[in-house]
Amino acid sequence: MKPTPVLEIFGPTIQGEGMVIGRKTMFVRTGGCDYRCSWCDSAFTWDGSQKAVAMSAEAIYEKLKEAGGRSFNHVTISGGNPAMHPGLGELVALLQEQGIETAIETQGSIWNDWVKEIDEVTVSPKPPSSLMKTDWSRLDYYMEELRPRKEKEVSLKVVVFDESDLNYAMEVHERYPAVTMYLQVGNDDTVTPQVEKLRDHLLAKYEWLTEKVLQEERLNGVRVLPQLHTLLWGNKQGV
């Protein structure tokens, strides 16, 4: 059994992003990422400011039960990039045995076969504002591997900060037109402790993004979301 580096286990809470938005869930946040996005709101997963603990699948499950009791039947595996950890396959299998559904978000850069077993996979390639470069061949492989799954869901999500990101989102949408796509407002202030101030700022950005999508024929069919947990709790960690 290969242990997984875990930074935090928390919940129950609600999922604030992507196709699972609003879903009651527990979170397992892993350490480590192969990207260094300029605006990352979880940089503590890779910048060394917080230390991860190596945990077995059984230990993670016990912590989930300790935190959530009987008040959950869904677990979100987050990061960083959780798809870089092969040991998570054991956790996914254990959760399935317990009748617990799973979700994950990854940028589609590192493949592990256990990703196929996740109930709800959000693939979130990073736009130009991240200062990361998309490896389209890897992303193509990811989407092809996930395409034939039955009774499991896959979606695309692009975080949008500006016009360049919006153009990138159009490119992604046109490359994978059969996959449901979500556009989400990016949080460009990850340090302010003032929830009300941040909420007003992000709602204004959400209005801007919505108007842009409504005017763009190339974005017909996409869904536009806020970052729900940020509207509720601001930049607070562990919620």
Side-chain angles (χ1 to χ4, degrees), residues 186-207:
N187 179 7
D188 55 3
D189 183 358
T190 59
V191 296
T192 181
Q194 298 173 289
V195 177
E196 293 80 6
K197 179 181 177 181
L198 181 62
R199 182 183 298 142
D200 289 345
H201 174 63
L202 293 179
L203 284 175
K205 289 175 66 66
Y206 181 48
E207 182 179 7

Side-chain angles (χ1 to χ4, degrees), residues 1 17 97 101-102 106 127 129 137 181 206:
M1 295 186 295
E17 304 184 356
E97 290 173 6
E101 296 180 22
T102 53
T106 174
S129 63
S137 62
M181 184 172 185
Y206 181 48

Side-chain angles (χ1 to χ4, degrees), residues 37-48:
C37 295
S38 62
W39 36 250
C40 181
D41 60 2
S42 303
F44 61 89
T45 61
W46 50 262
D47 66 5

Side-chain angles (χ1 to χ4, degrees), residues 9 80 89 128:
I9 294 172

Side-chain angles (χ1 to χ4, degrees), residues 7-222:
L7 279 161
E8 54 182 355
I9 294 172
F10 63 91
T13 183
I14 59 167
Q15 172 58 262
E17 304 184 356
M19 65 176 167
V20 200
I21 192 167
R23 175 75 187 265
K24 183 180 178 183
T25 190
M26 297 290 293
F27 268 83
V28 176
R29 188 180 298 281
T30 62
C33 192
D34 52 317
Y35 277 21
R36 299 291 185 269
C37 295
S38 62
W39 36 250
C40 181
D41 60 2
S42 303
F44 61 89
T45 61
W46 50 262
D47 66 5
S49 61
Q50 296 186 30
K51 186 176 180 180
V53 177
M55 299 179 69
S56 67
E58 290 77 10
I60 295 172
Y61 180 56
E62 289 301 317
K63 284 290 185 182
L64 284 166
K65 291 194 297 181
E66 180 182 321
R70 297 175 60 85
S71 297
F72 73 97
N73 65 355
H74 186 274
V75 172
T76 299
I77 303 172
S78 185
N81 183 7
M84 65 193 297
H85 302 300
L88 282 172
E90 298 168 16
L91 175 64
V92 173
L94 178 56
L95 293 172
Q96 287 177 334
E97 290 173 6
Q98 301 299 321
I100 298 171
E101 296 180 22
T102 53
I104 191 173
E105 180 176 317
T106 174
Q107 57 261 43
S109 57
I110 296 177
W111 178 258
N112 264 297
D113 282 343
W114 59 259
V115 175
K116 287 184 178 180
E117 304 305 317
I118 298 285
D119 295 293
E120 296 148 335
V121 179
T122 297
V123 182
S124 183
K126 305 309 177 189
S129 63
S130 71
L131 304 183
M132 298 293 103
K133 186 175 181 180
T134 300
D135 185 329
W136 293 104
S137 62
R138 287 192 179 190
L139 189 56
D140 287 344
Y141 179 81
Y142 232 91
M143 302 311 295
E144 182 61 26
E145 286 294 305
L146 292 171
R147 184 178 60 82
R149 303 187 316 155
K150 294 182 179 180
E151 299 181 359
K152 295 182 185 294
E153 298 184 63
V154 60
S155 68
L156 286 157
K157 189 193 82 177
V158 174
V159 178
V160 177
F161 286 83
D162 53 33
E163 294 278 358
S164 294
D165 290 353
L166 197 60
N167 289 330
Y168 174 86
M170 294 181 205
E171 184 178 359
V172 174
H173 185 47
E174 290 171 342
R175 194 178 186 96
Y176 313 106
V179 182
T180 301
M181 184 172 185
Y182 296 83
L183 300 187
Q184 183 176 292
V185 174
N187 179 7
D188 55 3
D189 183 358
T190 59
V191 296
T192 181
Q194 298 173 289
V195 177
E196 293 80 6
K197 179 181 177 181
L198 181 62
R199 182 183 298 142
D200 289 345
H201 174 63
L202 293 179
L203 284 175
K205 289 175 66 66
Y206 181 48
E207 182 179 7
W208 169 83
L209 179 57
T210 299
E211 290 298 328
K212 287 291 184 180
V213 171
L214 293 179
Q215 297 165 17
E216 179 52 65
E217 179 181 351
R218 292 171 65 194
L219 291 172
N220 289 350
V222 305

